[in-house]
Amino acid sequence: MFGKKKDAGGSAVLYASKKKKFSERLRFSFSHHYELYLLALPTLIYVFIFCYIPIYGLQMAFQNFSIAKGFGESEWVGFKHFIKFFNSYQFWPTLWNTVSLSFYSLIAGFFPPIILALLLHHVKARKFGKVVQMVTYAPHFISVVVLASMLRLMLSPSSGVINTMIEFFGGEEVDFMGSANLFPHIYVWSGVWQGMGWGSIIYLSALCGISPELYEAAKMDGAGEFQRILHVDIPGLMPTIVTMLILNSGQIMNVGMQKVLLLQTPLNLETSEIISTYVYKSGILSARYSYSAAVGLFQSVVNVIMLVTVNTISRKVSENSLW
Amino acid sequence: MAREKRLKFRRSRGDLIYSVVTYIILGFLFLITLYPLYFVVIASFSDPALVNSGQIVLLPKGLDFRGYERIFELDRVWHGYLMSIYYTLFGTLFNLFLTFTIAYVLTRKDFMARNFFMKFLMLTMFFGGGLIPTFILVQDLGLYDTPLTLIIYGGVSVYNVIVTKSTLENTIPYEMYEAAAIDGCGQIKFFVQFVLPLSKAIIAVMALFYAVGHWNDFMNALIYTNSEELQPLQLVLRNILIEGEMLANENLDPDLALLRQQQAELMKYGLIVVASIPLLVAYPFIQKFFTQGIMIGSVKG
């Protein structure tokens, strides 16, 4: 998706200028393309302020930062906050909850979109396919607040439909939201429900890119529908699947914090407290800025390490990689 | 013809099983996606007692619109609605401005700083300062608890820039710029007069992506605002539906307490519907655009 592409074109002017020194080329660029710099400027400034200054601000993780003193005046404390986090009783539970929730989501959520795309791609009744597409995409647009409210309403022990059904079939009432054991399942499967259709689009478009000749050839060789999926579709999807896998693994520590926060109850906190909700609570609600920044930095660093590792492995094994 | 028919016939048994299984699975996915949404709608105007005892399954029963009546009396919901519209409208305009200017610049292959700008943007996809430094920054900028924060925060998504850039590369041929340049047309003029009018489809897609993001956001409002009058709809909903503020704050009349209790659940379903109406109404029309948007990104990216 982000593979390197050599510029095919380039005007004669550019070629000529390539031989010149960098400073000369720069001056040429400024004088001839100042309007382009002008157009780019607002976004670059914006990104600089809102994305790069916070990176600079991460130094607070190594300080005893106070808003009154600012970055310059605050006292440096090295890795104190990191060590405090690693030694705190929240460290292992939040780390485990984050990683397990994330892996569970990745595994449970990875195949349904692919399966849906394969089914939709070959469905003969076009109308039916269109309707299924339209309906399965819809949950993607539901806000996380609405989703969490729906879950809480439907899973409520006293009045929820699910419990009414369970009781109807002779089961016992289950307090879904109050159970630490059930929280990961609720979180993950509601995510699958919401993301399956939307996730399938990227695979559908990859399937559309497969040459019809391959299908013809497979047909001639006597392949049935199922064999076509196995021998034409799946190999055709592989690059997309690997790309998605790499991208997802770079997010391994980024569990959807909003939904977790909305589904948290005091009773399921044991499994629902993840690193980012912990950062939110200790940082924003309790104003322990330096400590929370350190916890957040730890999380980002793990993400980057994961991304680089998976990308390297993938480049060696399958030649698919982001860079 | 005849041979083809025979071939079809010979293969048909395995394929028939395959088709049947396909339709069963797709039908199942269809129902499991649609039913929860449908249930919320019918439960929002059915007798709450019947809803709670599980008697509402396929059709609404014991029509009861008191839930909606109560919702209409709630000022904070309507105020939230207005705030959401305000944030969504101006926020999306701001997003479009930032996205299309940079995307156009990045399409210019003869532009020297192109690769550097691209890397500058893409780095932010993989690493960032995180919540706390950003929160401190917003405070330092004096944006905390102002309506402006929710308009400009999340001003540009790098992923959308890349999608827009690839689309522009495919819709605006480079020769066109060269021709315009010969006629003495500057880059900004070219961008405004030629690029934008030719990119209506991708503008629509991006506008919709960003607008949905603004409309559905509650977290930024929760973090970066404090005053009640700045709350967008989603945050109001979260306070009512998740935190259960409604029952405690809204009504002080004890005679109505019992009635309120009954209506509370009904109202919750109603609120979900009310909050989702703009999307529910627009969805069938815009769904095609969304699909296009993601397709462009994945195929050409």
Side-chain angles (χ1 to χ4, degrees), chain B residues 235-252:
Chain B
L235 188 54
V236 176
L237 280 186
R238 175 250 185 199
N239 292 343
I240 296 175
L241 294 173
I242 309 277
E243 306 285 293
E245 271 179 19
M246 173 64 60
L247 295 169
N249 296 344
E250 287 297 325
N251 184 48
L252 301 170

Side-chain angles (χ1 to χ4, degrees), chain A residues 120 126-137, chain B residues 30:
Chain A
L120 282 172
R126 286 277 140 218
K127 270 257 169 62
F128 177 69
K130 281 262 144 57
V131 172
V132 174
Q133 265 176 296
M134 188 163 150
V135 169
T136 50
Y137 296 168
Chain B
F30 172 80

Side-chain angles (χ1 to χ4, degrees), chain B residues 72-106:
Chain B
F72 276 103
E73 292 164 11
L74 286 175
D75 287 340
R76 54 193 293 208
V77 170
W78 300 110
H79 184 72
Y81 231 100
L82 277 180
M83 290 315 285
S84 278
I85 292 172
Y86 170 73
Y87 297 137
T88 304
L89 190 68
F90 290 101
T92 305
L93 285 175
F94 184 66
N95 293 138
L96 290 179
F97 173 71
L98 290 187
T99 305
F100 277 80
T101 48
I102 192 78
Y104 167 66
V105 171
L106 292 173

Side-chain angles (χ1 to χ4, degrees), chain A residues 105-118 196 203 241 245:
Chain A
S105 302
L106 184 65
I107 292 164
F110 200 72
F111 295 103
I114 300 176
I115 294 169
L116 180 63
L118 287 169
M196 177 180 64
Y203 297 108
I241 292 178
L245 206 58

Side-chain angles (χ1 to χ4, degrees), chain A residues 1 7 33 35 43 46 49 52 58 67 125 134 137-138 141 143 149 159 193 201 205 225 229 258 307, chain B residues 15 18 23 32 98 114 120 129 139 152 154-155 187-188 216 219 234 241 265 279 283 290 294-295 298 301:
Chain A
M1 204 192 246
D7 294 354
H33 285 150
E35 289 189 52
T43 314
Y46 184 89
I49 294 176
Y52 283 87
L58 274 173
I67 291 193
M134 188 163 150
Y137 296 168
F141 300 105
S143 77
S149 309
S159 56
W193 178 79
I201 298 179
S205 68
E225 295 269 12
I229 288 186
Q258 307 194 2
L307 184 74
Chain B
D15 288 353
Y18 173 82
Y23 283 112
I32 213 162
L98 290 187
R114 185 173 93 126
F120 181 78
Q139 286 202 326
I152 68 169
Q187 288 108 342
I188 292 179
N216 283 346
M219 200 69 213
Q234 299 295 334
L241 294 173
E265 296 287 304
L279 284 177
Y283 178 67
F290 277 125
I294 252 204
M295 291 244 189
S298 59

Side-chain angles (χ1 to χ4, degrees), chain B residues 34-175:
Chain B
L34 190 62
Y35 186 72
L37 303 173
Y38 175 74
F39 177 79
V40 169
V41 176
I42 57 171
S44 70
F45 55 84
S46 294
D47 186 341
L50 293 175
V51 175
N52 289 354
S53 58
Q55 294 186 53
I56 308 293
V57 180
L58 287 177
L59 293 170
K61 275 181 210 159
L63 296 188
D64 185 343
F65 290 96
R66 279 175 306 169
Y68 284 105
E69 280 168 22
R70 278 279 289 142
I71 293 168
F72 276 103
E73 292 164 11
L74 286 175
D75 287 340
R76 54 193 293 208
V77 170
W78 300 110
H79 184 72
Y81 231 100
L82 277 180
M83 290 315 285
S84 278
I85 292 172
Y86 170 73
Y87 297 137
T88 304
L89 190 68
F90 290 101
T92 305
L93 285 175
F94 184 66
N95 293 138
L96 290 179
F97 173 71
L98 290 187
T99 305
F100 277 80
T101 48
I102 192 78
Y104 167 66
V105 171
L106 292 173
T107 60
R108 294 292 304 272
K109 292 194 177 104
D110 57 337
F111 183 52
M112 186 185 160
R114 185 173 93 126
N115 281 331
F116 173 70
F117 286 178
M118 194 72 190
K119 285 189 183 118
F120 181 78
L121 293 183
M122 276 179 65
L123 183 75
T124 65
M125 287 175 93
F126 303 112
F127 192 77
L131 179 65
I132 307 300
T134 313
F135 179 73
I136 301 294
L137 172 76
V138 167
Q139 286 202 326
D140 284 349
L141 290 173
L143 287 171
Y144 181 73
D145 205 25
T146 62
L148 193 61
T149 327
L150 295 183
I151 291 174
I152 68 169
Y153 190 79
V156 64
S157 136
V158 177
Y159 180 77
N160 286 348
V161 170
I162 294 171
V163 171
T164 309
K165 174 201 155 237
S166 338
T167 314
L168 291 184
E169 270 170 356
N170 286 296
T171 46
I172 319 281
Y174 185 68
E175 293 75 23

